[in-house]
Amino acid sequence: MNLSSPSVLEVQQKSKAKLTASLYQAIWRWHFYAGIIFAPFLIILAFSGSVYLFKPQIEGYLYKDMFNVQEIGSTTMTADDIIAKTERAYPGTAITSVEFTNDPAKTIKLTGSLDGITRLMYADPYTGKLSGMMDSDKTFSAFFKKMHSELVIGGTWANRLVELAACWAIILVVTGLYLWWPRNRFQLWGTILPRLRKPGSRQFWRDLHAVPAFWLSLLIVILIATGLPWSGVVGSQINRLANSTNSNYPPYALSFAAKPESVTVAKDIAQDIPWASENLPVPASVAGGYIKLEVEDIKQIADKQAIAAPYTISMPRGEQGVYTIATSHSRPGNNATLHVDQYSGAVLTDVRFAQYGLMAKGITMGIALHEGRLFGVPNQILGLITALGVILMALSSYFMWRKRKPDGKLGAPAKAKTKGTAIGVLLIMLVFGALMPLVGLSIISIVLLDWLVIRRIKPLKAWFAV
């Protein structure tokens, strides 16, 4: 017996260590590339989102002269008189919706079209006089909403890029947790508490990256997941799944007999529609020489139906159009969408939060959480901490990378030594890609780029450490 030869146990331990090291390298490599590509976009999303969280307070201050009445009167004008006065004062104006609030100190918000531009107008409910008018695309919230959803650039491509960055952020969290997990033994410092004794060192930046990521990982995933229902690709999948399983709005929520033949949906014809009702088919009013009801009549119907203010009444479009009463309320339980016959006042559609399916209820609550309105200021603060944490992680990862980056190279982690491990990790990544199609397309593009271009050009191969 050769005493110097390794035992079976030692061979197994070495093999396991090699596999573990190879797996670590493969995951680190994906984490590195995803981070270096998408960190700038995540900073933009986190910054714009953290500002948008405080929209009520910021806009309440910026536009206080428009939002608040100068003097509370004893009698209010009817909505129809205010609309008529506004349209006379600004020829060519067509009011499309009116938002009602139960606060006597607040103005009434009108949405209308003037000179081909959608305008937001604020009228004193006691005098009917406008206290201000804004281009709807140039308000404070509109700018940061566009930054958050379309990087200010606008368009489908920008929106898809935002979705892609958000989806990759989920993968960054999952792979980051694997890299953070203690390999040998648990240590307090560097694991759940950062080591900050050597400012500027790689260890300093590593801990500012990894430790907050651990503490905020669940919140980051929740924040991203609750934003995805608005996205173009994953959001459409979520909506189709909700509709196909009747876990969005149930069929019995529609009180009209037959499903409308029109493909027109609620979000196309009305303001303030909750997510769960955005694709609700719009019924038609029964036209036939009847007299159209006034907005004040519809307001009385809304009050009779116990619709919680603030709510918005959108005007009917055409002879067969309907009035739409809707509120995407700060308290999701008060969400409502009603379509009302413009002649008879019959309620043709009535969808409330209580009638939502399980999936729609969860998404509605999630959206309120994402926007910082589910439980008031504490919700806003929690969202702000999460967003600032994302910015800290992105910035610290940059400095950490600069500390380890060699001259003339990207500084990417070395490839996994075991080819099978690299393939296994790639297959796992493709599972994420199947759940998030844009991620899947990007992974396929990366693999093809690596195989067809990078590996065949020596300077690129050296730069990317392939």
Side-chain angles (χ1 to χ4, degrees):
M1 179 179 179
N2 188 353
L3 297 177
S4 63
S5 62
S7 65
V8 174
L9 181 59
E10 288 174 331
V11 171
Q12 290 176 340
Q13 288 176 338
K14 286 182 179 179
S15 178
K16 183 179 179 181
K18 183 180 179 181
L19 178 62
T20 301
S22 186
L23 182 61
Y24 186 92
Q25 287 298 125
I27 292 175
W28 184 16
R29 194 171 172 86
W30 278 105
H31 185 83
F32 171 84
Y33 280 117
I36 206 166
I37 293 170
F38 294 108
F41 299 105
L42 295 178
I43 290 174
I44 294 172
L45 293 179
F47 169 71
S48 57
S50 62
V51 175
Y52 194 81
L53 279 169
F54 293 89
K55 167 191 169 183
Q57 292 90 337
I58 295 173
E59 288 201 329
Y61 174 77
L62 291 176
Y63 308 132
K64 58 185 176 183
D65 292 336
M66 283 190 281
F67 289 179
N68 302 311
V69 300
Q70 293 183 350
E71 184 179 350
I72 298 175
S74 57
T75 306
T76 59
M77 294 178 63
T78 66
D80 301 278
D81 288 341
I82 293 174
I83 290 171
K85 185 173 183 178
T86 302
E87 292 180 341
R88 285 196 303 270
Y90 300 91
T93 298
I95 301 301
T96 55
S97 70
V98 185
E99 181 182 297
F100 294 93
T101 176
N102 53 10
D103 188 341
K106 296 295 182 183
T107 55
I108 289 179
K109 177 182 173 183
L110 309 173
T111 302
S113 176
L114 177 61
D115 300 327
I117 299 172
T118 301
R119 311 274 185 176
L120 303 179
M121 309 172 187
Y122 297 88
D124 188 313
Y126 306 101
T127 66
K129 182 180 178 182
L130 289 192
S131 58
M133 180 188 300
M134 294 186 289
D135 182 336
S136 64
D137 290 332
K138 295 181 179 179
T139 64
F140 169 87
S141 59
F143 175 81
F144 280 95
K145 184 177 183 180
K146 193 170 183 178
M147 179 187 289
H148 195 66
S149 61
E150 299 177 350
L151 304 173
V152 181
I153 303 168
T156 302
W157 279 103
N159 180 263
R160 298 297 184 268
L161 187 55
V162 166
E163 180 179 348
L164 182 62
C167 291
W168 270 103
I170 294 177
I171 297 175
L172 280 168
V173 171
V174 174
T175 55
L177 284 173
Y178 177 84
L179 299 174
W180 163 88
W181 190 265
R183 291 293 170 271
N184 299 318
R185 61 188 179 86
F186 179 83
Q187 291 180 327
L188 181 66
W189 296 100
T191 304
I192 61 174
L193 292 176
R195 295 163 291 186
L196 307 177
R197 292 182 180 180
K198 298 178 181 179
S201 66
R202 185 165 179 266
Q203 182 187 81
F204 172 86
W205 292 116
R206 180 266 174 201
D207 284 9
L208 279 186
H209 178 77
V211 175
F214 160 69
W215 286 109
L216 296 174
S217 57
L218 181 59
L219 289 175
I220 293 171
V221 171
I222 290 174
L223 199 64
I224 295 169
T226 52
L228 286 178
W230 286 305
S231 62
V233 179
V234 174
S236 297
Q237 289 183 317
I238 292 172
N239 189 66
R240 281 196 296 270
L241 177 62
N243 288 336
S244 64
T245 57
N246 286 333
S247 56
N248 198 351
Y249 59 84
Y252 59 76
L254 313 179
S255 60
F256 45 86
K259 183 177 179 180
E261 296 296 328
S262 172
V263 294
T264 304
V265 293
K267 66 180 179 181
D268 294 334
I269 55 96
Q271 303 286 328
D272 203 21
I273 300 292
W275 179 88
S277 302
E278 283 185 343
N279 293 294
L280 190 71
V282 179
S285 293
V286 181
Y290 300 107
I291 298 175
K292 176 183 172 183
L293 295 174
E294 294 189 329
V295 176
E296 202 64 28
D297 297 321
I298 307 303
K299 182 179 182 298
Q300 291 177 11
I301 292 172
D303 295 338
K304 184 178 179 180
Q305 295 291 330
I307 307 300
Y311 59 80
T312 300
I313 295 177
S314 296
M315 309 303 170
R317 299 188 182 186
E319 292 185 357
Q320 290 188 310
V322 292
Y323 279 106
T324 301
I325 306 168
T327 175
S328 184
H329 208 276
S330 57
R331 295 181 178 178
N334 290 330
N335 277 11
T337 306
L338 282 71
H339 293 313
V340 181
D341 188 297
Q342 65 171 304
Y343 306 107
S344 67
V347 177
L348 305 176
T349 305
D350 187 348
V351 179
R352 312 290 180 102
F353 180 84
Q355 296 171 320
Y356 292 175
L358 183 63
M359 192 172 178
K361 284 181 178 178
I363 291 173
T364 299
M365 300 289 282
I367 287 173
L369 176 69
H370 188 91
E371 293 184 328
R373 54 185 176 84
L374 185 59
F375 46 92
V377 174
N379 189 167
Q380 292 175 305
I381 294 173
L382 191 64
L384 177 63
I385 291 171
T386 306
L388 292 178
V390 171
I391 294 173
L392 174 63
M393 285 172 242
L395 293 176
S396 58
S397 67
Y398 169 78
F399 289 107
M400 186 168 58
W401 167 61
R402 293 296 301 176
K403 287 289 180 180
R404 65 178 295 276
K405 179 185 177 300
D407 293 334
K409 290 187 177 182
L410 180 61
K415 289 178 60 180
K417 295 180 180 180
T418 306
K419 189 175 182 180
T421 304
I423 294 173
V425 171
L426 174 60
L427 292 175
I428 293 172
M429 297 297 294
L430 288 173
V431 172
F432 283 107
L435 297 172
M436 299 175 284
L438 290 182
V439 169
L441 288 174
S442 66
I443 291 173
I444 293 171
S445 300
I446 290 168
V447 171
L448 290 175
L449 181 66
D450 178 45
W451 181 49
L452 297 175
V453 179
I454 296 175
R455 292 176 183 272
R456 300 172 190 274
I457 301 175
K458 288 185 178 181
L460 288 178
K461 187 174 181 179
W463 172 261
F464 285 102
V466 175

